[in-house]
Amino acid sequence: MNLSQIEAFRAVMLTGSTTAAAGVLHTSQPNVSRSIGQLEKATGLNLFHRSPGKLTPTEEGRLFFNEVQRSYVGLERLDEAAKRVRLFGSGSLRIAAVPTLALGLIPRAIKRFVADHPSVNISIHTGHSMVVTQWVDQQFCDIGVVSQLSAQAYAVDPDMLYEVGGVCLLPKDHRLASKSRIVPTDLEGEAFIALAMHDGLRHSIDRVFEVAGVTRKITLESPYSSVICSLVSLGMGISIVNPIIMRDYRDADIVFRPFEPQIPYRCSMLFPTGRRENRLVDRFAQTLRVLAAEECADVEAMRANV
């Protein structure tokens, strides 16, 4: 059994006759008939009922055709993949990011990127910083975006994406919403929604309040900024969050206010150490850099105008 025999069989099944199949394959009708006979001998299958001037598929022929079609779908996908490789050096892009960014910044970057690269297959994987780092180290993902660096123990190369000061997140009708700046003493005795204990930023935030001698009521904890925003919008407390998420929650019943002293929120891109040149990854990374710079500028403008 060889490819030319399979092609002849498929052409007959699709066109209904050996003559039409010959036209599609740019060969002669006897060559098509010969290939069909050879295929039947090679497979041990009776593929067609034969009558003068007509071939009718047998049940075996129809079942075999279904398998042939499945194989051809796979070949067509390989053909498309080859085209993408010729254009971009890779036909797919696997992105890993922490949830805070996977819900907002990353999708916005992908939208901008896809406008110039509409044929690229993109998959997004979400986990905390350690998991994202492991995925990049194992080359399961091409690029990672994390809020905490754990690069020392892994074969990854970090590249700082941005650093911005955290903001205080308040219910829209909260008594502190009228203030232009929030300081630790403003939150004395307030219900506070904290990051999870394993989050490194949790310790930085707690330290600021310890130094100021301020006691908060930590009533709720979550590792996810999206959950924290939902809880704040329901009036369940106050929090300090990454200001990059502001764009995602502008229509919610919450307000963002600059917090002083500034608590730095850092974000880094990760790449596998020693990776080969990949134009697709490099182009997405550049798109993400530009977008992050624009959104950090928006944050700074907000600080100046509150």
Side-chain angles (χ1 to χ4, degrees):
M1 181 171 56
N2 58 44
L3 183 58
S4 64
Q5 294 165 2
I6 296 294
E7 288 177 337
F9 169 68
R10 182 171 183 261
V12 171
M13 292 293 291
L14 292 173
T15 63
S17 73
T18 55
T19 300
V24 170
L25 297 174
H26 306 291
T27 187
S28 67
Q29 184 272 337
N31 282 341
V32 172
S33 296
R34 187 179 306 111
S35 293
I36 296 297
Q38 292 170 345
L39 180 62
E40 288 181 319
K41 184 177 180 180
T43 60
L45 300 175
N46 182 22
L47 300 173
F48 294 99
H49 296 297
R50 288 167 172 82
S51 58
K54 185 176 182 181
L55 292 179
T56 304
T58 63
E59 181 63 22
E60 287 182 338
R62 284 191 288 269
L63 291 173
F64 187 63
F65 178 67
N66 290 339
E67 295 303 319
V68 168
Q69 285 294 83
R70 292 191 184 98
S71 298
Y72 265 79
V73 169
L75 290 172
E76 289 168 358
R77 291 186 63 185
L78 288 175
D79 185 54
E80 289 299 316
K83 290 177 182 176
R84 290 194 295 269
V85 169
R86 286 197 300 271
L87 288 172
F88 307 113
S90 174
S92 63
L93 182 62
R94 295 163 298 177
I95 304 166
V98 293
T100 297
L101 303 176
L103 293 173
L105 179 65
I106 297 300
R108 289 192 290 275
I110 289 173
K111 180 179 180 181
R112 184 175 293 188
F113 177 78
V114 167
D116 294 325
H117 306 85
S119 299
V120 175
N121 289 333
I122 299 176
S123 59
I124 309 171
H125 306 270
T126 302
H128 59 72
S129 290
M130 183 71 74
V131 170
V132 170
T133 304
Q134 291 172 345
W135 284 338
V136 175
D137 173 40
Q138 296 163 2
Q139 298 191 35
F140 171 68
C141 291
D142 302 302
I143 181 173
V145 187
V146 299
S147 53
Q148 298 176 54
L149 276 177
S150 305
Q152 294 83 354
Y154 297 94
V156 297
D157 293 329
D159 185 351
M160 179 71 76
L161 185 61
Y162 68 75
E163 178 178 325
V164 288
V167 292
C168 187
L169 182 62
L170 306 154
K172 188 172 290 185
D173 59 356
H174 194 276
R175 65 178 182 84
L176 295 174
S178 60
K179 292 178 65 70
S180 61
R181 298 283 188 279
I182 304 296
V183 297
T185 53
D186 292 326
L187 303 187
E188 177 69 49
E190 290 285 344
F192 193 89
I193 305 169
L195 291 168
M197 285 299 297
H198 68 261
D199 194 309
L201 279 168
R202 165 68 182 269
H203 304 295
S204 298
I205 294 170
D206 288 350
R207 181 60 181 161
V208 166
F209 287 98
E210 290 170 4
V211 169
V214 172
T215 301
R216 300 157 293 158
K217 298 177 182 177
I218 299 181
T219 56
L220 294 163
E221 298 179 359
S222 175
Y224 303 113
S225 295
S226 57
V227 174
I228 291 174
C229 288
S230 295
L231 291 170
V232 172
S233 70
L234 293 171
M236 300 297 294
I238 293 171
S239 192
I240 296 172
V241 297
N242 185 336
I244 292 297
I245 70 171
M246 289 192 302
R247 179 169 298 191
D248 306 320
Y249 295 94
R250 283 177 176 172
D251 296 328
D253 291 328
I254 53 180
V255 294
F256 298 87
R257 295 291 180 263
F259 183 82
E260 295 176 357
Q262 284 198 18
I263 298 171
Y265 280 72
R266 300 182 180 92
C267 175
S268 296
M269 294 184 291
L270 302 179
F271 305 93
T273 297
R275 69 186 179 100
R276 295 181 178 179
E277 181 182 353
N278 187 316
R279 286 175 290 169
L280 201 60
V281 173
D282 293 341
R283 290 176 187 180
F284 178 76
Q286 182 58 25
T287 299
L288 187 56
R289 287 188 190 96
V290 171
L291 180 63
E294 292 172 1
E295 297 200 4
C296 286
D298 288 344
V299 168
E300 295 306 319
M302 181 277 293
R303 292 184 189 279
N305 295 327
V306 171

